[in-house]
């Protein structure tokens, strides 16, 4: 594909490239540096460009043994590796073998880079993205700069690819357009990812509108809804079900949306039935009363809350107090009252003391709560 693109590029005049006419689309490789032990923003490594990382906000590392310029990285997307040069005094390592000050080694997919003293593990990923060939097109790809959640974390149990796709007959509802997403599909569905959908939405609260168009995030889609994996899952299993229709929040929901809400709930129940751990874990389906993210979304979340992304009291209380509205209760409210009513002061529930959702025992800190929750996990 790359050879074909280079050949086509020669046929386009420089004037046309400058004006943006006759632009060509090409499949390109993009390299990402991905943190393995916690939820962090992944770091893009542009092709043959030097990137220096170390202690700082980008890596969220505060360890003073890690230099602010600990390692230098240069990705070669054509050859599929990243050159790593240690710049800091304390040792960086690849697969636990120290690199050495001012020494350079190659990091390949599957290998692990520890930034300093065998701590802060990273791996690399090469992903294909569709870009626009032509002058000034650098960076105009369909790949989102989305935070990466480690699927290999020992605390996270992910569904198999087969179970995530779910059984076709159960979810089709008789519609030929209701099918699980395939990233290699060439379908011309209006809900497929495209540069038109991926607007520059700027503020983080608009992030769901981008994620729901990302094939890598999608678990299932039909003509009415799409299911995506939560970028920051608060439990072993955490999905979001979003309608294709633009509905900003629960406040905008009316009786006209009743059938849609029921469909979202039904699809969520089907998803749970496909979960490998459905017999050992409990699940809840519900909405945040005052969500931080724009666009209505139904949470499907297991009740183990075993996740490194659950970090504070707000996270905990948003799923274990009346701040979390059961899906069936929302449906019933819309049936009887024609809208969703949220009590005054609901946001104050996020400030409540930490309390186990199973035995109601109070805990002082999140680490203590997480240790306590292990008592309630299935044996």
């Amino acid at each position: 594909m790359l050879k074909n693109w280079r050949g086509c590029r020669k046929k386009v005049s420089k004037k046309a490239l400058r004006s943006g006419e006759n632009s060509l689309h090409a499949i390109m490789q993009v390299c990402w540096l991905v943190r393995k032990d916690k939820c962090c923003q992944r770091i893009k490594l542009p092709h043959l460009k030097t990137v220096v990382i170390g202690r700082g906000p980008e890596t969220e590392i505060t360890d003073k043994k890690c230099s602010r310029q600990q390692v230098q990285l240069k990705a070669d997307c054509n050859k599929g590796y990243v050159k790593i040069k240690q710049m800091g005094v304390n040792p960086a390592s690849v697969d636990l073998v120290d690199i050495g000050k001012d020494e350079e080694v190659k990091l390949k997919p599957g290998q692990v880079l520890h930034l300093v003293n065998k701590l802060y593990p990273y791996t690399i990923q090469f992903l294909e993205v569709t870009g626009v060939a032509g002058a000034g097109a650098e960076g105009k790809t369909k790949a989102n700069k989305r935070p990466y959640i480690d699927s290999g974390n020992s605390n996270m149990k992910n569904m198999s690819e087969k179970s995530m796709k779910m059984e076709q007959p159960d979810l089709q509802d008789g519609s030929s357009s209701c099918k699980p997403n395939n990233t290699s599909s060439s379908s011309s569905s209006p809900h497929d990812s495209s540069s038109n959908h991926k607007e520059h939405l700027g503020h983080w609260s608009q992030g769901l509108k981008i994620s729901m168009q990302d094939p890598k995030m999608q678990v299932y889609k039909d003509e009415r809804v799409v299911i995506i994996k939560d970028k920051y899952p608060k439990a072993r299993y955490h999905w979001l079900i979003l309608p294709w229709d633009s509905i900003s929040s629960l406040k905008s929901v009316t009786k006209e949306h009743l059938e849609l809400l029921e469909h979202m709930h039904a699809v969520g129940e089907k998803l749970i039935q496909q979960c490998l751990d459905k017999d050992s874990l409990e699940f809840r389906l519900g909405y945040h009363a005052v969500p931080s993210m724009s666009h209505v979304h139904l949470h499907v979340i297991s009740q183990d809350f075993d996740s490194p992304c659950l970090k504070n009291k707000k996270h905990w209380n948003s799923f274990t107090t009346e701040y979390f509205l059961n899906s069936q209760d929302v449906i019933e409210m819309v049936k009887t009252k024609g809208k969703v009513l949220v009590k005054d002061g609901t946001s104050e529930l996020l400030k409540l003391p930490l309390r186990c959702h199973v035995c109601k025992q109070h805990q002082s800190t999140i680490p203590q709560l997480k240790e306590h929750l292990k008592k309630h996990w299935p044996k």
Side-chain angles (χ1 to χ4, degrees), residues 58-283:
E58 186 176 34
T59 59
E60 298 183 17
I61 295 174
T62 57
D63 185 350
K64 291 187 177 180
K65 292 182 180 179
C66 181
S67 169
R68 293 188 182 277
Q69 297 184 333
Q70 179 67 15
V71 293
Q72 174 182 291
L73 308 97
K74 182 183 287 188
D76 191 321
C77 295
N78 293 335
K79 296 181 180 178
Y81 62 75
V82 176
K83 287 185 178 180
I84 308 289
K85 182 178 181 180
Q86 179 183 320
M87 300 176 69
V89 175
N90 292 311
S93 61
V94 171
D95 285 350
L96 303 179
V97 177
D98 290 350
I99 298 172
K101 182 77 164 66
D102 296 323
E103 296 296 320
E104 190 174 82
V105 298
K106 293 178 182 177
L107 177 69
K108 298 179 180 180
Q111 294 183 311
V112 178
L113 164 69
H114 286 86
L115 278 195
V116 66
N117 296 334
K118 308 298 189 293
L119 300 173
Y120 318 113
Y122 282 87
T123 59
I124 55 171
Q125 288 185 336
F126 288 95
L127 303 176
E128 284 189 349
V129 295
T130 303
V132 180
E138 183 180 348
K140 295 180 181 177
T141 69
K142 289 186 180 179
N144 286 323
K145 291 184 179 180
R146 59 183 178 84
Y148 173 85
I149 303 305
D150 176 22
S151 60
N153 190 299
S154 60
N155 293 325
M156 305 294 289
K157 294 184 179 179
N158 294 295
M159 295 179 66
S160 68
E161 184 176 346
K162 180 178 179 181
S163 66
M164 289 176 72
K165 288 184 177 179
M166 304 192 289
E167 295 178 5
Q168 180 80 6
D170 291 340
L171 290 168
Q172 274 193 328
D173 292 335
S175 171
S176 60
S177 65
C178 304
K179 62 181 180 180
N181 182 69
N182 186 325
T183 56
S184 63
S185 171
S186 59
S187 168
S188 59
S189 164
H191 309 310
D192 287 345
S193 296
S194 72
S195 56
N196 291 332
H197 284 105
K198 299 196 173 175
E199 309 167 41
H200 296 285
L201 294 172
H203 196 266
W204 59 267
S205 64
Q206 304 294 316
L208 288 180
K209 296 180 181 179
I210 297 177
S211 294
M212 65 189 290
Q213 302 291 344
D214 185 354
K216 294 182 181 64
M217 298 293 290
Q218 293 172 351
V219 175
Y220 166 83
K221 65 180 179 180
D222 62 26
E223 61 186 359
R224 287 182 280 182
V225 302
V226 59
I227 303 176
I228 64 173
K229 297 169 283 186
D230 195 294
K231 287 182 179 180
Y232 298 101
K234 302 304 186 291
R236 295 177 189 173
Y237 298 98
H238 190 180
W239 301 281
L240 306 177
I241 303 178
L242 303 97
W244 291 115
D245 292 343
S246 181
I247 307 172
S248 61
S249 68
L250 286 179
K251 292 181 180 179
S252 302
V253 170
T254 68
K255 278 191 174 181
E256 293 179 358
H257 300 114
L258 186 56
E259 186 179 348
L260 175 62
L261 295 178
E262 291 173 338
H263 178 66
M264 291 169 68
H265 183 89
V267 170
E269 292 284 6
K270 296 281 187 181
L271 181 62
I272 293 171
Q273 290 306 309
Q274 298 295 327
C275 178
L276 297 176
D277 292 332
K278 69 180 189 306
D279 295 326
S280 59
L281 292 177
E282 293 185 12
F283 287 81

Side-chain angles (χ1 to χ4, degrees), residues 277-311:
D277 292 332
K278 69 180 189 306
D279 295 326
S280 59
L281 292 177
E282 293 185 12
F283 287 81
R284 286 185 71 189
L285 294 87
Y287 302 84
H288 283 149
V290 188
S292 57
M293 302 293 286
S294 178
H295 200 91
V296 162
H297 52 283
L298 173 64
H299 293 266
V300 181
I301 184 168
S302 57
Q303 296 300 287
D304 51 90
F305 296 107
D306 177 18
S307 169
C309 298
L310 196 153
K311 297 181 177 181

